[in-house]
Amino acid sequence: MAVRDPEATKARIFDAAVAEFARHGIAGARIDRIAAQAKANKQLIYAYYGNKSDLFTHVLGRCMVDLAAAVPIDPDDIDGWMDRLLDYHAAHPELLRLLFWEGVEYGTDELPDEPARQAHYARKVAALRDGQERGVITDAMPARDLMFLLVALAGWGAAVPQMRRILVGSADSDGEHLRSSIREAARRLAAPRT
């Protein structure tokens, strides 16, 4: 008789849900496919995570926590932070796809976990604001705007790889030229006023 391992089952469901949502979005994802990929029954998915929207919120929330833990913001080393962010997105393109699908689904409507997400980003913005107060990065714009611009710089190429290929071309297949340009743009955006 096989021994049940609820944590292993949850992990398989989570991994299958990440892949399904990244590929098909919230509306296009199917619990049947997640269950088949995870080798679990649908009832377990509902028992562990609730409905499909709840599962998506859980998946994206955990992916965001993983990113925050792996790549903490460092206003004293914007170049290094951008490199780590670019590396993370290259290794985990599903995160930006999940954020893209969330934007398609919710638009400007409030997200189910918006207060928690705001608190998450408030801590990052506070780190940038601290860098502004210490004079290591610019105070020419609000820290929240700077955060938005830096995150956009780091993520856009991975979020829309077709535009990266069209604009940058396949000659930059290793991405070093574009990475260098992104670092330079981030450096200029964040540079303290003289």
Side-chain angles (χ1 to χ4, degrees), residues 90-145:
H92 303 280
E94 67 279 357
L95 172 59
L96 292 171
R97 290 186 194 124
L98 293 170
L99 285 168
F100 172 81
W101 283 115
E102 180 186 59
V104 168
E105 183 76 18
Y106 288 98
T108 58
D109 293 344
E110 186 169 332
L111 303 172
D113 62 344
E114 192 155 330
R117 189 96 59 91
Q118 286 174 335
H120 165 85
Y121 278 104
R123 290 186 294 275
K124 291 178 178 284
V125 169
L128 283 181
R129 193 173 301 114
D130 174 68
Q132 288 175 322
E133 290 168 0
R134 291 183 295 111
V136 297
I137 58 174
T138 185
D139 62 357
M141 66 185 83
R144 67 174 187 265
D145 295 355

Side-chain angles (χ1 to χ4, degrees), residues 1 4 11 13 51 68 89 113 127 142 155-156 178:
M1 183 168 150
R4 293 179 188 234
I13 292 168
N51 64 34
H89 288 318
D113 62 344
W156 185 248
L178 181 59

Side-chain angles (χ1 to χ4, degrees), residues 93 97 155-168:
R97 290 186 194 124
W156 185 248
V160 286
Q162 76 282 15
M163 292 303 296
R164 177 183 171 154
R165 186 188 71 251
I166 289 167
L167 292 170
V168 178

Side-chain angles (χ1 to χ4, degrees), residues 169-188:
S170 58
D172 190 31
S173 60
D174 66 354
E176 274 312 305
H177 179 74
L178 181 59
R179 177 184 286 255
S180 177
S181 296
I182 290 170
R183 272 197 315 263
E184 180 62 23
R187 191 179 305 119
R188 289 181 186 199

Side-chain angles (χ1 to χ4, degrees), residues 44-128:
L44 276 177
I45 295 172
Y46 294 122
Y48 290 149
Y49 297 104
N51 64 34
K52 185 168 68 166
S53 292
D54 292 341
L55 176 58
F56 179 84
T57 298
H58 175 82
V59 163
L60 181 54
R62 189 164 127 205
C63 288
M64 297 291 287
V65 167
D66 291 348
L67 167 64
V71 190
I73 190 164
D74 185 355
D76 294 295
D77 182 17
I78 293 297
D79 277 9
W81 178 62
M82 291 300 286
D83 272 336
R84 291 185 297 278
L85 201 49
L86 289 164
D87 289 343
Y88 190 90
H89 288 318
H92 303 280
E94 67 279 357
L95 172 59
L96 292 171
R97 290 186 194 124
L98 293 170
L99 285 168
F100 172 81
W101 283 115
E102 180 186 59
V104 168
E105 183 76 18
Y106 288 98
T108 58
D109 293 344
E110 186 169 332
L111 303 172
D113 62 344
E114 192 155 330
R117 189 96 59 91
Q118 286 174 335
H120 165 85
Y121 278 104
R123 290 186 294 275
K124 291 178 178 284
V125 169
L128 283 181

